[in-house]
Amino acid sequence: MTTQPLRLPLLLVTLLLATASCDNEEFFELDNPPDFPWQTILEFDKAPIGAYYGLTGDGGGRSIFGAGHLAGEIYADGVQIANPEFGFQPREDAVQMFQHGTSDVQVPFFDNPIYRSGYYAVGFTNGALDFYYGPDGNELPFPEAGVENNRRIAGELHFIRAYAYYWLVRIFSPVYPDDTPRLPFRTAQAANFDEAIRSELGSTNDIYEFILQDLQRAKELLPERYVEGVHPIPYADGRADAFAAAALRAKVLFHMGRFDESLTELDYVIDQNEGDYDLSEEPIEAWNKTGAVRGREVIWYYALWAGDGLGGSSNWKHPSRMAEYNANNRDRSGPAANGSRYLPTSDEFLRTAGWADADLNETEEAANDLRYQQLYLRFDPATDTLPDPRAEFAPTRPYVWGDKYYQAGRRNTNVPILRLADMVLLRAIIRAELGSATDTEGARADLNAVRNRAGLTDFDGTDAELPEAIHTERFKEMAFEGDRLYYLQAIDAEIQATDGRPTAPARGGYYVGIPEFEVEINLAYRP
């Protein structure tokens, strides 16, 4: 039976080095290296399952999904720090981020959910892809299983690795473009001890290009949809397909300013999905599903009901960080006096959206917009009563929270990650002013598709007013999904003044320091 040398991901090596002695090198020189870890196609299919699981870290609060979303919101202008009179006590590092004081500064909040979870997934995928391609570039490790499933598994691995790096580079590296080597850049597993403790560092530019390559490969390898009798049953449940790869690639290209290339991917996702994805359902239908089911517009989602993907009920793997900025915690208790939900909408967001007047009174626009009615929760001390009767928790003004998450009940709601409305609005703004060929009619149609789904009438402004209308519609549509900062960076716009914080350029350096444990163990950081 063929044997392979032991290959360990960087994070595992970090844990080993923390406890090992001067015999570290001997640890890697095993007399009997392990066999191939996968002997059948069924075993190999556990590789992407493990990598998806890696994205959720080793606990609900360590999911890349919830923490990544938080960064895109708290640095931007859609949220505010709730007044302590409501009983909300935000984390100190969250306040620091909100005040834009964390550029290249250690923020322990992101160490587990982004850094560790991201590199868990990278490590899992690197090892499996090394196995898939082999030393000679062979791409059919299990020929008896057919080309389809061999390629599908590899496509999922490329996609997951790209998604992990997508958040790692945005949280821990400067905004694109930047050519400073900074972030550990593993594209294969370390073969020995020396490689493991000196990881190559990649720049923002390096990693973005690598993400694009991975997503292009994923798009080529993945099927467009689950086919019963061809794919294993678990593939029907929350796992990536070719449209997910194209959708994420469109977002990455958009952030890089490569708008025409992004448009090509968007056209594929929107116009060539053969009816798999549309905007025919009300907004809430993307957010109130659990199990092997999705809303019509959801392209890729994280299934909380079986977060390990192995058929169990790992409900504890929910992304609990979403409670930081969601009205309802995972038990649907509402905005009671609880220290986790300290990020309601900013007043500027409500006014920009047209959902509140100068005095924060609800408007007719808010009453007509299904998103506001279905996916937000308002507390007004004039009409509502807090569950907590203590006098120190006595808000004197209204607050509005986003309420997209946990809609299907305690912690088991699927989390949409890629949605069609996102794609349609990206295409709208490219058509309106960012692409090489302006198409205001097409941009207007895309904008109206999203507005109409929300219960609103067509936009009736001029072509000159169209771009700003698209920006505003996206602000409303994508709030609390971790999108805002990165969209503003892509269009080189300003973050609005909010909650006592002044206006600031979105490309002003919103990234955090590499965790101390990585700097200490990785020799690449030493002079």
Side-chain angles (χ1 to χ4, degrees):
M1 187 177 293
T2 306
T3 60
Q4 290 288 304
L6 179 64
R7 294 175 180 266
L8 298 176
L10 184 59
L11 281 173
L12 181 53
V13 171
T14 300
L15 296 175
L16 291 169
L17 291 178
T19 57
S21 66
C22 59
D23 295 327
N24 285 330
E25 193 66 45
E26 295 179 8
F27 179 87
F28 282 83
E29 296 174 355
L30 300 181
D31 292 332
N32 297 295
D35 295 328
F36 274 140
W38 302 286
Q39 300 294 330
T40 68
I41 192 72
L42 292 177
E43 291 179 355
F44 192 43
D45 200 37
K46 294 179 182 178
I49 291 171
Y52 287 119
Y53 191 72
L55 291 174
T56 68
D58 56 357
R62 296 177 179 179
S63 160
I64 204 169
F65 303 115
H69 283 38
L70 180 63
E73 300 300 332
I74 199 168
Y75 280 129
D77 46 21
V79 300
Q80 62 176 305
I81 300 291
N83 194 305
E85 69 182 4
F86 216 134
F88 295 90
Q89 299 299 324
R91 298 168 53 100
E92 182 179 344
D93 49 14
V95 175
Q96 188 181 15
M97 286 187 287
F98 183 79
Q99 295 172 345
H100 295 169
T102 57
S103 290
D104 206 14
V105 173
Q106 294 286 320
V107 178
F109 177 85
F110 291 121
D111 288 359
N112 281 321
I114 302 295
Y115 200 88
R116 290 185 186 274
S117 297
Y119 280 112
Y120 282 150
V122 168
F124 295 153
T125 55
N126 280 344
L129 286 170
D130 288 350
F131 170 75
Y132 177 80
Y133 290 107
D136 302 318
N138 298 321
E139 298 184 24
L140 201 63
F142 300 103
E144 72 281 0
V147 174
E148 171 75 14
N149 278 303
N150 278 271
R151 288 170 59 88
R152 172 189 57 78
I153 291 170
E156 288 188 85
L157 293 166
H158 280 288
F159 175 86
I160 298 165
R161 183 169 65 179
Y163 189 77
Y165 271 127
Y166 172 72
W167 279 112
L168 285 163
V169 71
R170 297 205 293 180
I171 300 297
F172 293 99
S173 291
V175 64
Y176 181 89
D178 187 275
D179 61 3
T180 306
R182 175 177 174 82
L183 195 63
F185 188 26
R186 287 284 190 201
T187 61
Q189 285 193 327
N192 55 55
F193 180 80
D194 289 337
E195 283 187 21
I197 62 173
R198 185 182 293 275
S199 177
E200 176 185 356
L201 301 183
S203 68
T204 299
N205 296 352
D206 296 331
I207 294 173
Y208 266 99
E209 288 295 340
F210 185 71
I211 290 170
L212 289 181
Q213 294 170 22
D214 256 352
L215 291 173
Q216 179 60 36
R217 187 68 177 134
K219 182 182 172 185
E220 294 166 354
L221 292 169
L222 286 167
E224 292 187 335
R225 58 190 57 83
Y226 166 75
V227 178
E228 187 176 359
V230 175
H231 304 129
I233 292 174
Y235 184 64
D237 183 19
R239 292 167 67 172
D241 58 23
F243 291 112
L248 186 56
R249 197 167 191 272
K251 289 176 71 71
V252 173
L253 286 164
F254 184 86
H255 192 259
M256 297 171 73
R258 292 162 61 171
F259 300 120
D260 287 344
E261 293 175 79
S262 179
L263 182 61
T264 298
E265 301 289 1
L266 293 167
D267 285 344
Y268 168 67
V269 173
I270 298 168
D271 297 332
Q272 299 178 45
N273 69 63
E274 297 183 9
D276 287 351
Y277 313 109
D278 61 41
L279 297 178
S280 61
E281 296 177 328
E282 292 187 354
I284 197 172
E285 296 301 322
W287 303 95
N288 62 3
K289 303 295 188 293
T290 187
V293 64
R294 63 173 178 83
R296 294 283 307 169
E297 68 156 321
V298 178
I299 300 168
W300 180 48
Y301 63 94
Y302 171 50
L304 297 180
W305 70 286
D308 58 5
L310 299 173
S313 56
S314 296
N315 289 343
W316 63 275
K317 292 286 287 187
H318 64 282
S320 64
R321 290 298 184 202
M322 290 167 175
E324 308 266 359
Y325 49 82
N326 198 65
N328 280 287
N329 204 341
R330 55 189 182 273
D331 57 3
R332 297 297 296 171
S333 59
N338 181 299
S340 65
R341 295 181 291 282
Y342 52 79
L343 294 173
T345 61
S346 67
D347 299 344
E348 289 73 15
F349 167 77
L350 293 173
R351 292 165 181 147
T352 300
W355 291 345
D357 61 21
D359 297 320
L360 299 181
N361 298 309
E362 287 182 326
T363 62
E364 183 178 354
E365 182 83 0
N368 292 332
D369 198 316
L370 292 175
R371 290 166 299 194
Y372 182 83
Q373 295 299 323
Q374 296 176 350
L375 300 173
Y376 289 81
L377 193 152
R378 177 183 170 93
F379 177 88
D380 189 337
T383 56
D384 302 317
T385 303
L386 272 180
D388 193 319
R390 286 175 289 180
E392 61 266 34
F393 299 152
T396 58
R397 49 148 294 168
Y399 288 99
V400 176
W401 279 266
D403 195 23
K404 292 181 174 180
Y405 302 98
Y406 313 115
Q407 282 282 346
R410 180 174 173 80
R411 75 172 60 186
N412 62 348
T413 312
N414 296 340
V415 177
I417 307 298
L418 296 168
R419 298 195 292 121
L420 190 65
D422 179 1
M423 303 296 113
V424 172
L425 289 172
L426 286 181
R427 188 170 73 172
I429 195 60
I430 293 173
R431 284 173 157 179
E433 65 173 2
L434 298 178
S436 59
T438 302
D439 177 11
T440 54
E441 182 177 348
R444 192 178 289 264
D446 284 340
L447 171 61
N448 288 334
V450 176
R451 287 180 58 84
N452 295 164
R453 192 274 295 268
L456 303 178
T457 60
D458 286 353
F459 170 71
D460 59 2
T462 66
D463 286 350
E465 296 168 328
L466 182 60
E468 190 60 35
I470 296 170
H471 296 325
T472 299
E473 203 64 33
R474 185 176 189 86
F475 204 3
K476 292 186 285 185
E477 181 68 36
M478 297 298 294
F480 297 100
E481 296 181 53
D483 174 81
R484 180 63 173 172
L485 172 68
Y486 307 109
Y487 179 73
L488 294 177
Q489 288 178 341
I491 63 174
D492 198 13
E494 288 188 325
I495 298 170
Q496 297 180 47
T498 182
D499 202 24
R501 189 180 63 190
T503 299
R507 302 183 65 84
Y510 306 108
Y511 64 99
V512 305
I514 304 297
E516 289 183 1
F517 59 76
E518 180 68 44
V519 175
E520 290 174 359
I521 206 71
N522 189 346
L523 295 182
Y525 287 105
R526 301 182 187 178

